[in-house]
Amino acid sequence: MRKFIVLAVLQTVAFVAVKAETNKIEVAVSDDAAVADSLSNMEDGVVNDTLGKSKKNYAKGFNALDYVMGHRYLNKGETFGKKWYDHIFIEAGAGVSQMLPPVSDYHFNPLTTASMSIGKQISKVSSLRLGVQGAFGFQHDKEKMFYRYGMKLDYIYSLSSYIKGYNPSRFLDVSAVVGAGGHYARYSHDRDGFAPEAHLGMQFKFFTGARGYVSLEPYVSVAGDKIDLSQFRNDRKVDYSYGANLSFIYYLNNNLSPESRRRLIRKANRNEQADSVLPAWRAPWFMEFASGISFLNTPDLNFAQTAGHDISFSVGKWFSSVVGLRLTGSVRTAAFDSVIVEESYKPYHPEYRYRLKATYTTGRIEAMFNPLGFRRNYSWNENFGFYIVAGGEIGRISKNEGRGLRCLTTAYSGGLHLWAKLVDDVSLFIEPRYTFYEYKIPYSNLKDGSAKRFSDDIYSVNVGLAMTMRTRRYRNHTYPVRDSDEQLSGFAAGLGGGLSSFVARANHYPEKIMVGFNGVAYGEYHFNNTHGIRLSYEFVSNSRKSMMAYYETRPGAGSRPERKRGLWNHRYFWGFTSLDYQMNVCDVFSGHRPGRKLDVELFFGPTLVMLHGENSELHPNELLPSGSETRPVSVKDRKTGWGGNVGLKVVGHLSDKLSLFASPTVYAFKSCDTPGNDLTYLGSVRLLETVNVGVQYNF
């Protein structure tokens, strides 16, 4: 049976013979079967095969190399602008660097670094960067500063663009960095030198907006032997270090390719023709003014007893909706210790209690991170928001202790910025913050710069006002421009009152909160809706306690005054007359908008300071014989001097004529010596902060 099936298959299977002709293919099967031509007439125009039937078997007019891949396929990516001003960026950042010690006895703490660079992306994968960099720190366990500064040139090669194609909106772009430079180094006042340096690292660049990126860049470097200024010749003849930088990268022009722009607009559910920019691409400047309370973590006092004052002023720039940079100047006080002088009977004096305060006068640079900015439809005029801040400070610390301590301090600081919108581009914020201060106190019996390291933990809460700038493009994109003939000019006057406080170095206690009372009257003339001039007078009454010398005269003829020292209560009466330039910040930052319900005005100028007088009396705890009289050795008569002031005025319009206002103001002056009102580090300089609320009438 099996043989029969095999024979049947063999008889039914055809042997196919293909005969090459011009138009047909003959297919032979069995003798009695025929298959029609399976090709259509469309094959008529096919060129004859040039392949000859010789043994060489080659083709004429055909280059097979055109069809051979010389390398693997690489994605070219999106469009890259080639104008000379395209892809130019500015980079600023800070970080840490650790030098490997040549010997165990010559060791530096981690150096704090800061850098500023300018660069250009010259192709889809390559960039050049030229920058300056500085670093400073202290030798371990010594009050001897080491610092260096220099220049460097870097070549940056984007591995992500090479592998996956150019895409400027890629969330993470990884690049290799290689560069070289030179640095001048100085160790205290003893040694200095110059050393070349080369480094190798990786750059992790995160996309945050049309112009802004944030970059994390770890690196290792090798430098000449003079980079650490050691007097020990190590076996390597070179010095090694490692570190990392956190940087902001800001492109001068929009860095998005046309493909990225269209893709992001589509993802935001916007019309490409109507919307050429997104609100999230806005990268505004801003200004902040804040005041609050600060506390110091110390075992000698409970948390509430350390309460001090905090004043700060900030300007900053958002590079994108996610990352930004803020510069802040601040003055902060906090009590760090208490002193109790026991009661004495010969000569008698009561028990004295007072707190010692520290003053921190610093400048701060910090990064801002807004996690809400990753949203596609993010707007800077959300009703509520928050962002995280972290950075470093440098300045002076002064402690009112013994002969007084004044030294350099560095600090690391971080906080949470919580804000609520008042009107577009104006917000009220509260900012809790933690700051870690480091400083070193030299040993008085050692001359080699040896010092002991100290640190302070400061907690603060500030309340303030923030104003965000809107560029012309975004003003027109959202609001109509006001006609030029609608200029606001004329007179306005206001009257108000409130509370005040001196930023002082020491308070005696127990006592009531030392808050002063004040009232203000002012007149203004507005040249237009933006600029004006202001004349104001503010009366301030504040009280203080201080230890001072006095004369005691006992009853009876011929009694001579006896000089003593004791605790006195003072009440001072001040007058501040200021002539200020005034500017409507809302108009300057956001453009004029008719019908705005709230305006913020900034004013600053010279101030005539007048001490109208003083009421003082011996503290009731001091024993005073019946009928005796006392008078201070130094009596504060009327005095005048010059200072300056800066302040804000928030105006809420009830009608065209009537408005309510709230106005914080800071006065700084050196005249009129008044015990208990002076700062520690700033010597005779006095800082007074007042807050007034009242009514304004527009004529």
Side-chain angles (χ1 to χ4, degrees):
M1 184 66 181
R2 183 177 299 175
K3 292 181 179 181
F4 175 77
I5 295 175
V6 173
L7 290 174
V9 172
L10 292 175
Q11 288 179 356
T12 57
V13 174
F15 173 80
V16 180
V18 180
K19 183 179 179 181
E21 294 184 4
T22 306
N23 283 336
K24 63 183 180 180
I25 300 177
E26 293 184 357
V27 181
V29 283
S30 62
D31 294 339
D32 58 351
V35 180
D37 188 357
S38 61
L39 294 182
S40 66
N41 293 331
M42 294 182 65
E43 295 289 333
D44 293 344
V46 176
V47 180
N48 293 334
D49 189 0
T50 60
L51 184 61
K53 294 185 178 181
S54 65
K55 294 182 178 180
K56 295 182 179 180
N57 201 21
Y58 63 89
K60 296 180 180 180
F62 176 80
N63 186 5
L65 293 178
D66 293 338
Y67 299 91
V68 176
M69 297 181 68
H71 54 78
R72 69 176 184 82
Y73 171 74
L74 291 176
N75 185 3
K76 298 299 182 182
E78 301 176 2
T79 304
F80 182 80
K82 295 184 178 180
K83 296 179 181 179
W84 69 268
Y85 51 82
D86 287 337
H87 311 291
I88 297 177
F89 61 87
I90 296 174
E91 182 174 348
V96 294
S97 177
Q98 179 64 67
M99 295 188 296
L100 298 181
V103 294
S104 59
D105 294 335
Y106 190 77
H107 177 67
F108 287 95
N109 295 328
L111 305 180
T112 301
T113 63
S115 61
M116 176 73 72
S117 305
I118 184 170
K120 178 174 173 59
Q121 190 173 349
I122 57 179
S123 71
K124 293 184 177 182
V125 296
S126 300
S127 301
L128 291 176
R129 180 177 66 187
L130 178 65
V132 295
Q133 185 182 50
F136 73 93
F138 293 90
Q139 187 177 353
H140 188 63
D141 292 333
K142 292 183 182 293
E143 180 68 4
K144 286 193 174 183
M145 175 179 282
F146 171 89
Y147 66 89
R148 68 169 187 248
Y149 57 87
M151 297 188 67
K152 61 177 182 177
L153 177 64
D154 295 325
Y155 173 72
I156 305 172
Y157 188 83
S158 174
L159 301 175
S160 298
S161 295
Y162 173 76
I163 297 173
K164 303 180 65 175
Y166 175 67
N167 180 3
S169 61
R170 178 179 290 117
F171 178 71
L172 172 61
D173 188 277
V174 181
S175 301
V177 181
V178 60
H183 294 267
Y184 170 80
R186 187 171 185 84
Y187 173 65
S188 187
H189 300 289
D190 302 334
R191 302 187 293 273
D192 63 352
F194 177 84
E197 177 263 349
H199 52 270
L200 179 68
M202 297 291 293
Q203 183 189 72
F204 301 91
K205 186 171 69 174
F206 297 88
F207 172 77
T208 62
R211 295 188 179 189
Y213 299 79
V214 60
S215 169
L216 178 63
E217 197 169 309
Y219 64 89
V220 293
S221 69
V222 57
D225 191 50
K226 290 187 178 181
I227 194 69
D228 61 0
L229 299 176
S230 65
Q231 295 177 318
F232 306 95
R233 280 288 177 182
N234 54 64
D235 297 334
R236 302 185 303 258
K237 305 299 183 185
V238 293
D239 292 312
Y240 298 99
S241 63
Y242 60 92
N245 290 323
L246 182 65
S247 303
F248 294 127
I249 302 174
Y250 180 74
Y251 282 80
L252 300 185
N253 294 304
N254 192 314
N255 195 49
L256 293 178
S257 64
E259 295 89 341
S260 289
R261 180 187 291 266
R262 288 192 295 267
R263 182 172 61 254
L264 293 174
I265 291 177
R266 285 196 300 268
K267 288 182 178 180
N269 299 319
R270 291 177 174 265
N271 186 296
E272 295 182 29
Q273 302 298 327
D275 297 316
S276 61
V277 295
L278 293 177
W281 293 351
R282 183 180 166 201
W285 290 86
F286 65 90
M287 178 179 68
E288 296 175 350
F289 177 85
S291 178
I293 190 169
S294 57
F295 303 93
L296 174 65
N297 184 20
T298 175
D300 300 318
L301 298 171
N302 64 48
F303 205 65
Q305 289 176 328
T306 66
H309 209 117
D310 197 324
I311 299 177
S312 64
F313 177 79
S314 305
V315 294
K317 165 74 172 163
W318 285 99
F319 298 118
S320 68
S321 60
V322 178
V323 294
L325 190 69
R326 184 171 71 175
L327 302 176
T328 302
S330 69
V331 177
R332 177 180 294 159
T333 64
F336 65 92
D337 198 3
S338 62
V339 175
I340 300 178
V341 180
E342 299 293 341
E343 183 180 16
S344 174
Y345 294 94
K346 292 184 179 180
Y348 176 81
H349 68 73
E351 179 185 82
Y352 298 132
R353 296 190 174 198
Y354 57 94
R355 290 172 290 178
L356 301 176
K357 282 193 174 182
T359 304
Y360 307 84
T361 307
T362 61
R364 181 169 65 242
I365 180 171
E366 56 193 343
M368 303 177 295
F369 175 70
N370 178 21
L372 302 179
F374 284 111
R375 293 162 46 199
R376 295 172 182 172
N377 292 317
Y378 180 76
S379 171
W380 289 104
N381 287 316
E382 304 278 352
N383 290 327
F384 301 96
F386 74 93
Y387 57 83
I388 302 168
V389 295
E393 298 185 20
I394 186 171
R396 301 285 294 184
I397 181 175
S398 177
K399 291 197 172 184
N400 185 30
E401 181 179 26
R403 293 177 296 176
L405 168 67
R406 299 179 183 180
C407 63
L408 181 71
T409 180
T410 57
Y412 297 98
S413 183
L416 183 64
H417 185 102
L418 306 165
W419 57 267
K421 184 181 77 170
L422 298 179
V423 295
D424 284 352
D425 304 320
V426 180
S427 61
L428 180 70
F429 69 86
I430 181 171
E431 188 173 290
R433 170 180 295 276
Y434 166 73
T435 306
F436 176 74
Y437 289 95
E438 284 188 303
Y439 54 97
K440 296 181 180 180
I441 302 177
Y443 291 105
S444 59
N445 59 336
L446 298 178
K447 305 301 181 182
D448 61 350
S450 298
K452 186 175 181 179
R453 178 180 172 182
F454 291 88
S455 63
D456 290 340
D457 298 300
I458 294 287
Y459 301 87
S460 61
V461 178
N462 278 0
V463 178
L465 202 66
M467 290 139 288
T468 304
M469 179 176 289
R470 183 183 297 270
T471 61
R472 179 65 61 181
R473 185 175 189 178
Y474 286 94
R475 294 182 195 181
N476 296 343
H477 185 71
T478 308
Y479 306 112
V481 180
R482 183 179 180 178
D483 296 336
S484 59
D485 58 350
E486 294 185 29
Q487 298 295 314
L488 175 66
S489 60
F491 290 95
L495 185 67
L499 304 176
S500 60
S501 176
F502 275 89
V503 185
R505 66 180 179 181
N507 286 333
H508 290 77
Y509 71 97
E511 61 183 344
K512 297 180 180 179
I513 298 176
M514 307 305 293
V515 176
F517 303 94
N518 45 276
V520 65
Y522 63 85
E524 301 171 349
Y525 179 76
H526 299 271
F527 301 114
N528 51 41
N529 51 38
T530 303
H531 307 286
I533 193 171
R534 162 190 167 109
L535 179 65
S536 66
Y537 173 80
E538 184 165 8
F539 176 80
V540 176
S541 172
N542 83 295
S543 59
R544 275 288 184 266
K545 293 182 179 181
S546 69
M547 295 291 297
M548 62 181 300
Y550 66 95
Y551 291 115
E552 176 186 310
T553 304
R554 299 194 177 192
S559 177
R560 301 183 61 182
E562 181 181 357
R563 184 178 177 127
K564 292 185 176 182
R565 184 175 179 82
L567 184 62
W568 279 69
N569 295 329
H570 305 272
R571 177 161 291 277
Y572 302 105
F573 304 99
W574 304 86
F576 301 89
T577 302
S578 304
L579 181 62
D580 298 323
Y581 162 75
Q582 182 169 282
M583 174 180 68
N584 189 313
V585 181
C586 291
D587 278 11
V588 173
F589 278 27
S590 303
H592 187 74
R593 292 179 57 197
R596 182 188 282 130
K597 294 299 183 181
L598 187 144
D599 280 304
V600 179
E601 297 176 341
L602 170 69
F603 56 88
F604 57 89
T607 299
L608 176 64
V609 182
M610 297 166 285
L611 178 61
H612 292 314
E614 170 193 3
N615 289 339
S616 60
E617 62 179 1
L618 192 65
H619 195 277
N621 289 347
E622 300 282 351
L623 290 182
L624 184 65
S626 177
S628 298
E629 297 180 354
T630 59
R631 60 181 176 88
V633 173
S634 176
V635 180
K636 302 297 179 282
D637 297 326
R638 293 190 178 188
K639 293 184 178 180
T640 59
W642 289 99
N645 78 99
V646 61
L648 292 174
K649 185 178 67 170
V650 182
V651 182
H653 303 290
L654 302 179
S655 65
D656 291 340
K657 298 293 185 181
L658 192 63
S659 304
L660 299 178
F661 75 87
S663 178
T665 307
V666 176
Y667 296 94
F669 55 97
K670 293 188 68 174
S671 55
C672 309
D673 178 27
T674 51
N677 288 330
D678 56 324
L679 285 169
T680 307
Y681 168 62
L682 298 178
S684 59
V685 172
R686 288 156 185 83
L687 289 181
L688 170 66
E689 182 180 11
T690 66
V691 178
N692 291 288
V693 294
V695 180
Q696 176 177 298
Y697 184 81
N698 298 317
F699 295 93

